[in-house]
């Protein structure tokens, strides 16, 4: 249940801060503490038992959504919890009780939930979904101030991100056509993979490069 809680805590905080905007800063701090504790518990479980996998609602893939945590994902979740916790503390003093803070907290909590879901995704289509949720939250945060420069930057980011999404999704289609699965646990021997598999990886990598603005 720990992987689900790591996603659910900031997601619930996002809903709460929409319903009760004045509680945004305290909800953010409380969520940061709870999420950090849950991530630490998951890291301990991975260290003791090895990789942790769960299926949402008990439904097995491809009908259900699988969450998977190994050493790498636990480490990424830990780094995210540390950085996000620092951002949350800083944002509380930076925004104060301004009107902007009421828009910031739901978006920030939603972005954090999407980022945690990204690290726990067990297949490449759910990676795509979480990347889209992450990108939309980030675009809204870029435009948060409402100035012309912020809106212009947000629109550029949105267009580049959508282009990257289309390229990535094309790579996912190639991947599924070759393997018949979307899971990340397949094994491909170098030299034996068809050209379409190489094309899938190139397209997905190019899409991620665009979405992450690596240029």
């Amino acid at each position: 249940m720990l992987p689900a809680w790591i996603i659910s805590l900031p997601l619930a905080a996002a809903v709460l801060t929409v319903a009760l905007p004045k509680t945004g800063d305290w909800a953010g701090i409380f969520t940061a503490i709870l999420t950090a504790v849950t991530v630490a518990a998951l890291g301990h479980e991975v260290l003791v038992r090895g990789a942790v996998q769960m299926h949402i609602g008990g439904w097995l893939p491809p009908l259900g959504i699988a969450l998977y945590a190994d050493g790498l994902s636990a480490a990424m979740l830990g780094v995210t919890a540390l950085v996000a916790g620092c951002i949350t503390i800083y944002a509380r003093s930076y925004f104060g009780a301004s009107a902007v803070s009421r828009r910031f907290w739901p978006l920030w909590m939603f972005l954090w939930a999407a980022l945690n879901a990204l690290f726990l995704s067990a297949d490449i289509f759910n990676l795509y979904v979480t990347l889209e949720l992450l990108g939309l939250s980030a675009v809204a945060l870029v435009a948060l101030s409402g100035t012309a420069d912020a809106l212009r930057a947000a629109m550029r980011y949105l267009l580049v991100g959508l282009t990257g999404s289309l390229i990535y999704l094309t790579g996912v289609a190639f991947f599924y056509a070759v393997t018949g699965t979307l899971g990340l646990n397949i094994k491909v021997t170098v030299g034996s993979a068809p050209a379409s598999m190489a094309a899938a990886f190139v397209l997905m990598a190019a899409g991620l490069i665009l979405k992450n603005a690596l240029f």
Side-chain angles (χ1 to χ4, degrees):
M1 290 298 293
L2 289 175
W5 278 110
I6 289 172
I7 299 171
S8 300
L9 285 170
L11 190 60
V15 175
L16 177 63
T17 52
V18 169
L20 302 171
K22 293 183 179 180
T23 65
D25 52 353
W26 289 109
I29 296 293
F30 188 62
T31 302
I33 294 171
L34 284 180
T35 304
V37 171
T38 310
V39 167
L42 178 64
H44 179 265
E45 187 171 350
V46 169
L47 188 63
V48 172
R49 292 177 44 196
V52 175
Q53 185 170 0
M54 70 168 293
H55 302 100
I56 302 297
W59 290 84
L60 296 176
L63 296 177
I65 297 175
L67 301 178
Y68 181 84
D70 56 10
L72 177 60
S73 55
M76 296 301 294
L77 288 168
V79 172
T80 300
L82 176 62
V83 175
C86 293
I87 292 172
T88 301
I89 295 170
Y90 177 75
R92 183 172 179 268
S93 60
Y94 180 79
F95 289 111
S98 65
V100 176
S101 71
R102 299 189 180 189
R103 299 192 297 271
F104 168 79
W105 289 110
L107 293 171
W108 170 234
M109 291 292 108
F110 192 73
L111 184 146
W112 193 354
L115 194 56
N116 288 345
L118 174 68
F119 293 137
L120 291 168
S121 294
D123 67 74
I124 57 175
F125 183 75
N126 284 326
L127 285 178
Y128 166 75
V129 173
T130 54
L131 282 168
E132 288 304 289
L133 297 175
L134 185 63
L136 291 174
S137 303
V139 167
L141 285 170
V142 170
L144 193 63
S145 66
T147 63
D149 287 341
L151 293 174
R152 191 179 302 113
M155 184 57 67
R156 287 174 180 167
Y157 184 29
L158 177 62
L159 293 175
V160 171
L162 288 176
T163 303
S165 296
L166 290 174
I167 296 173
Y168 179 87
L169 197 56
T170 304
V172 171
F174 272 89
F175 184 92
Y176 184 74
V178 175
T179 64
T181 181
L182 295 171
L184 291 171
N185 58 348
I186 67 165
K187 296 181 179 180
V188 179
T189 304
V190 176
S192 65
S196 51
M197 178 65 85
F201 284 125
V202 169
L203 287 168
M204 287 189 287
L208 291 175
I209 287 171
L210 277 173
K211 289 186 72 65
N212 288 280
L214 294 185
F215 49 90

